[in-house]
Amino acid sequence: MASWFERITPKFISNSKRTNVPAGVWIKCPSCGETLYHKDLEKNLKVCLNCEYHFRISSKERFEQLFDNRNWEEKYNGILTKDPLKFVDSKKYKDRIKASRSKSNLEEAVAVAIGKINGQSVCMAVFDFAFMGGSMGAVVGEKITRGIEYSIEHKIPMLIISSSGGARMQEGAISLMQMAKTSAALQKLASRGIPYLSILTDPTTGGVSASFAMLGDINIAEKNALIGFAGARVIQETINEDLPKGFQRAEFLQKHGTVDMIVNRTDLKKTIGDLLKMLYPQ
């Protein structure tokens, strides 16, 4: 039976007066519950205007926000994931890759591009969580390593913006080897005195957090980003102790020295530019 409100509403509001609001015009913040007008949210780089919750954004949006004049050259496209282990769980790995490419319109979980930030040339690798949770396989490791090698060759700083669930289990030990591969490349970069900035966003976990994401000359995190290796439940069950509140959040890690800075996304470009001027003036 219809409620009293539903029964009397047609008497006051005719069908001709009713207006359907298009989907996506208003967005509810998952943190504070505030209803946000999407254009205002876009202008604020998808940071909640009420509580500063940082919405996840795509690799393309990162490039647009950080590179001068929204101008960059993407590198290493066309390097595609294979299925060396012929891996099958509830679905074939090759089918997961195909579905993720179709859904996200991306080739892989990371994109590498060359451009300028406040006039300073940089090489930037950006994860996109929309592609298999930003997981790291052989292609991700290869593209990041090539980006680091480009930085070495052209003597420009390296930036990696991480958003990842960790190593991609469908590639087994091959994915785990990317931790050593990328870390070794960063050691070469460091030996030449070229800076590397690591930006950790929500989430940065697993093999990514256990390798290059934590090796920055300066580690920068976005507000309240989830950063850690194993999940809280796994850790708690392993050590059989209660964990501190928020122990895998950016603020806790900064307090304990793992993260150097927490920077609002709206200030990130200026902060990166200022740091690079100090670390590597051209």
Side-chain angles (χ1 to χ4, degrees), residues 161-254:
I161 302 180
S162 300
S163 177
S164 174
R168 193 174 296 171
M169 69 171 190
Q170 291 89 346
E171 295 185 28
I174 296 171
S175 66
L176 296 178
M177 287 303 296
Q178 307 313 308
M179 298 167 64
K181 179 177 179 175
T182 52
S183 298
L186 286 173
Q187 177 57 38
K188 290 182 181 179
L189 185 77
S191 69
R192 287 157 176 80
I194 302 171
Y196 159 50
L197 302 184
S198 177
I199 293 94
L200 302 97
T201 73
D202 185 73
T204 299
T205 59
V208 169
S209 70
S211 55
F212 55 81
M214 292 296 188
L215 295 178
D217 295 313
I218 297 179
N219 293 330
I220 303 169
E222 289 188 335
K223 181 180 178 180
N224 203 41
L226 176 66
I227 303 166
F229 181 65
R233 179 179 55 81
V234 173
I235 296 171
Q236 190 159 343
E237 289 178 355
T238 301
I239 66 176
N240 198 29
E241 290 184 15
D242 292 334
L243 301 171
K245 184 179 179 180
F247 89 110
Q248 285 185 320
R249 293 293 173 176
E251 290 74 12
F252 184 92
L253 296 179
Q254 184 189 34

Side-chain angles (χ1 to χ4, degrees), residues 14-82:
S14 65
N15 289 332
S16 61
K17 297 290 185 180
R18 296 178 186 178
T19 303
N20 292 322
V21 179
V25 172
W26 297 97
I27 298 170
K28 186 175 181 179
C29 175
S31 178
C32 68
E34 185 78 6
T35 301
L36 308 166
Y37 184 44
H38 84 102
K39 287 188 177 180
D40 291 337
L41 188 62
E42 292 282 347
K43 288 178 182 178
N44 207 44
L45 307 186
K46 290 193 175 179
V47 176
C48 177
L49 289 86
N50 183 53
C51 71
E52 296 188 348
Y53 172 81
H54 285 53
F55 287 77
R56 290 176 186 167
I57 60 176
S58 67
S59 53
K60 182 182 178 182
E61 287 173 309
R62 291 281 181 192
F63 291 147
E64 289 176 344
Q65 291 177 6
L66 293 176
F67 282 130
D68 294 349
N69 304 315
R70 295 191 171 191
N71 183 33
W72 67 88
E73 178 191 357
E74 196 163 339
K75 308 286 286 186
Y76 318 124
N77 289 329
I79 307 175
L80 303 178
T81 295
K82 305 295 183 184

